């Protein structure tokens, strides 16, 4: 490694050097919570499909998914008399549904009507209500501060707004090479540069974290291969996250992009179906990687900033919408059901004649779950979601 490469690698390591705490093991009995953020506003209408609605098929001439049909692998799987599951996730998520370890909450989202990716993402991550948001902290950061001693981690390139205000939270990107940035000799040289400075502890902890993460991921990849080809993309990330969260971390955040499907979205096949397949495989890999005992102590919630227009557009895609569908997964989740307030899917019930309305506010939904998971007091919950009205859907 020449001087330029060394300096570039040093710059890439900078976020990890801000860590103030040691690499720690999580309390064995504490619940595990992972938030999966689908950035771009995914089309929930082609994930949890209202197949009993004629209006759905009238609105989506080219991208609608076929009603449940025996022997047709491209038709939806009926979950009840109203809703069906997209075939793209039938193999990965179907077994969890059958075991009642998966639930869906349609008509979910925020009160933000800007339909702006950035504004709505920030609003969700901040966890604050109304227009008086200062974005000085995020709800995951405040949750971490309330719980204390429950180790957090973000599987992102940079620390997300969700964890802002929590102090030193490690963020590890799992997109790139899993090998350590520095070898042992380079790590000793770098640590020596900070010897006797105020950054000595942070530099040592940051290097230790990166070396341990690299070692964990390399070991996991070798063990999981066993001569077979690993699933790509998020499926591989799911196994890696499980490796880290199984023993060490209890609060996690990961974001997945590529959901802004304005053009050629596709139906049973195409870009949305491919993304859903990738996501489903990743979630299934995460559950499998944790093992049964730890999966039973885990809750995963999948959210997105908003849904998409109910009607397809002229480019065989969908535009920015409002209400969406959340996923709730876990070994002890009371799943196998469609939860929350709902309305019939028809033109009369659309918001502004274009979107799903939001009937299940995300702060209330998450607030109710987190209170049950961590036995939060009213005062503690008010710190996490100020002004929220937690709804206990008895999902956890």
């Amino acid at each position: 490694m020449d001087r330029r490469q060394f300096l570039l690698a040093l710059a890439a390591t900078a976020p990890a050097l801000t860590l103030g705490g040691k690499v720690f093991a999580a309390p064995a009995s504490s619940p595990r919570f992972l938030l999966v953020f689908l950035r771009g506003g995914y089309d929930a209408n082609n994930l949890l499909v209202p197949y009993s609605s004629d209006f759905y098929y009238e609105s989506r001439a080219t991208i609608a998914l076929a009603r449940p049909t025996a022997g047709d692998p491209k038709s939806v799987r009926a979950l009840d008399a109203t809703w069906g599951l997209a075939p793209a996730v039938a193999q990965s998520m179907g077994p969890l549904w059958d075991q009642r370890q998966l639930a869906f909450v349609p008509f979910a989202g925020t009160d933000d009507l800007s339909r702006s990716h950035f504004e709505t993402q920030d609003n969700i991550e901040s966890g604050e209500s109304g227009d008086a948001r200062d974005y000085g902290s995020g709800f995951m950061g405040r949750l971490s501060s309330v719980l204390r001693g429950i180790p957090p981690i973000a599987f992102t390139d940079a620390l997300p707004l969700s964890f802002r205000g929590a102090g030193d939270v490690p963020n590890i990107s799992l997109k790139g090479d899993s090998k350590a940035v520095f070898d042992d000799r380079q790590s000793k040289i770098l640590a020596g540069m900070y010897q006797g400075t105020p950054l000595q502890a942070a530099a040592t902890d940051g290097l230790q974290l990166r070396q341990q993460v690299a070692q964990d991921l390399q070991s996991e990849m070798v063990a999981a291969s066993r001569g077979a080809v690993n699933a790509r993309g998020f499926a591989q990330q799911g196994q890696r996250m499980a490796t880290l969260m199984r023993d060490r971390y209890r609060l996690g955040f990961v974001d997945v992009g590529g959901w802004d499907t304005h053009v050629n979205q596709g139906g049973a096949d195409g870009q949305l179906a491919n993304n859903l397949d990738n996501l489903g495989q990743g979630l299934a890999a995460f559950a499998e990687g944790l093992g049964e005992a730890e999966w039973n102590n885990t809750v995963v919630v999948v959210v997105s900033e908003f849904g998409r227009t109910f009607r397809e557009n002229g480019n065989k895609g969908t535009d920015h919408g409002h209400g969406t569908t959340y996923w709730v997964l876990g070994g002890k989740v009371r799943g196998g059901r469609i939860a929350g307030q709902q309305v019939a899917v028809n033109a009369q019930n659309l918001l502004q004649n274009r979107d799903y309305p939001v009937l299940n506010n995300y702060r209330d939904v998450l607030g109710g779950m987190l209170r049950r998971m961590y036995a939060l007091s009213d005062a503690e919950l008010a710190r996490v979601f100020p002004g929220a009205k937690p709804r206990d859907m008895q999902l956890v």
Side-chain angles (χ1 to χ4, degrees):
M1 180 182 291
D2 61 25
R3 175 180 173 79
R4 179 177 176 276
Q5 291 173 320
F6 184 83
L7 291 176
L8 287 174
L10 174 59
T13 308
L17 298 182
T18 64
L19 294 174
K22 298 291 184 183
V23 176
F24 31 50
S29 61
S30 60
R32 183 184 292 100
F33 178 72
L34 174 67
L35 184 76
V36 181
F37 201 125
L38 308 184
R39 296 195 188 275
Y42 89 109
D43 182 26
N45 308 313
N46 268 19
L47 176 277
L48 185 66
V49 179
Y51 74 87
S52 65
S53 168
D54 291 336
F55 180 59
Y56 168 78
Y57 292 96
E58 295 167 5
S59 302
R60 299 185 162 218
T62 67
I63 66 172
L65 300 181
R67 288 185 168 96
T69 304
D72 182 1
K74 293 188 177 182
S75 67
V76 302
R77 174 192 164 170
L79 300 181
D80 60 20
T82 300
W83 302 99
L85 187 63
V89 296
Q91 289 189 341
S92 59
M93 294 292 99
L96 294 181
W97 176 269
D98 292 339
Q99 297 171 56
R100 299 187 180 277
Q101 296 179 1
L102 168 64
F104 294 105
V105 183
F107 307 104
T110 77
D111 55 5
D112 187 300
L113 281 171
S114 68
R115 296 189 176 87
S116 161
H117 291 301
F118 306 110
E119 288 186 34
T120 316
Q121 287 176 18
D122 287 350
N123 289 346
I124 289 178
E125 292 192 68
S126 75
E128 299 173 299
S129 64
D131 298 323
R133 302 181 180 94
D134 61 14
Y135 303 111
S137 66
F139 81 88
M140 293 283 285
R142 295 192 296 272
L143 175 64
S144 178
S145 298
V146 164
L147 295 177
R148 296 181 183 177
I150 303 297
I153 188 169
F155 300 100
T156 53
D157 291 330
L159 190 68
L161 171 58
S162 297
F163 267 127
R164 189 176 296 172
D168 292 326
V169 176
N171 61 280
I172 301 295
S173 174
L174 300 179
K175 297 176 184 177
D177 191 350
S178 61
K179 294 182 179 179
V181 177
F182 305 114
D183 60 27
D184 290 341
R185 182 186 65 83
Q186 293 164 343
S187 295
K188 290 178 181 178
I189 293 173
L190 183 57
M193 293 169 58
Y194 291 91
Q195 190 74 27
T197 73
L199 293 176
Q200 177 179 342
T204 301
D205 291 349
L207 287 166
Q208 181 185 9
L209 175 65
R210 283 190 175 266
Q211 295 296 101
Q212 289 192 4
V213 167
Q215 183 178 359
D216 287 346
L217 297 185
Q218 282 292 103
S219 298
E220 180 274 327
M221 290 173 68
V222 171
S225 294
R226 302 188 69 179
V229 177
N230 280 334
R232 295 182 179 180
F234 186 72
Q236 187 179 53
Q237 290 193 29
Q239 292 184 359
R240 294 177 174 185
M241 289 187 297
T243 298
L244 292 174
M245 293 195 72
R246 186 169 50 236
D247 301 316
R248 190 172 299 163
Y249 300 102
R250 282 299 188 270
L251 294 179
F253 176 97
V254 64
D255 49 13
V256 183
W259 302 94
D260 198 16
T261 52
H262 287 282
V263 178
N264 294 326
Q265 175 176 300
D269 301 301
Q271 59 175 315
L272 177 64
N274 289 338
N275 281 350
L276 289 173
D277 179 31
N278 191 38
L279 176 65
Q281 288 190 54
L283 293 172
F286 180 72
E288 182 179 3
L290 286 176
E292 182 179 358
E294 292 306 318
W295 179 237
N296 285 340
N297 200 28
T298 299
V299 174
V300 178
V301 177
V302 180
V303 306
S304 193
E305 65 262 37
F306 43 61
R308 304 195 73 81
T309 49
F310 194 77
R311 299 179 181 88
E312 69 176 86
N313 61 30
N315 296 315
K316 299 182 179 180
T318 52
D319 299 318
H320 298 177
H322 190 47
T324 186
T325 295
Y326 292 168
W327 314 19
V328 184
L329 309 84
K332 293 298 184 181
V333 163
R334 297 169 183 172
R337 61 192 177 101
I338 313 300
Q341 186 178 346
Q342 302 167 39
V343 292
V345 178
N346 54 40
Q348 293 72 32
N349 285 331
L350 291 185
L351 174 72
Q352 300 177 350
N353 193 34
R354 58 175 282 163
D355 313 314
Y356 269 177
V358 170
L359 307 177
N360 303 293
N361 183 275
Y362 82 103
R363 295 175 353 105
D364 301 340
V365 172
L366 291 181
M369 282 191 282
L370 293 173
R371 175 151 72 178
R372 284 181 66 93
M373 286 180 63
Y374 295 105
L376 299 179
S377 67
D378 289 344
E380 289 171 332
L381 187 60
R383 286 182 58 190
V384 178
F385 289 117
K389 300 176 181 178
R391 294 182 59 185
D392 187 358
M393 297 182 179
Q394 298 187 351
L395 288 169
V396 297

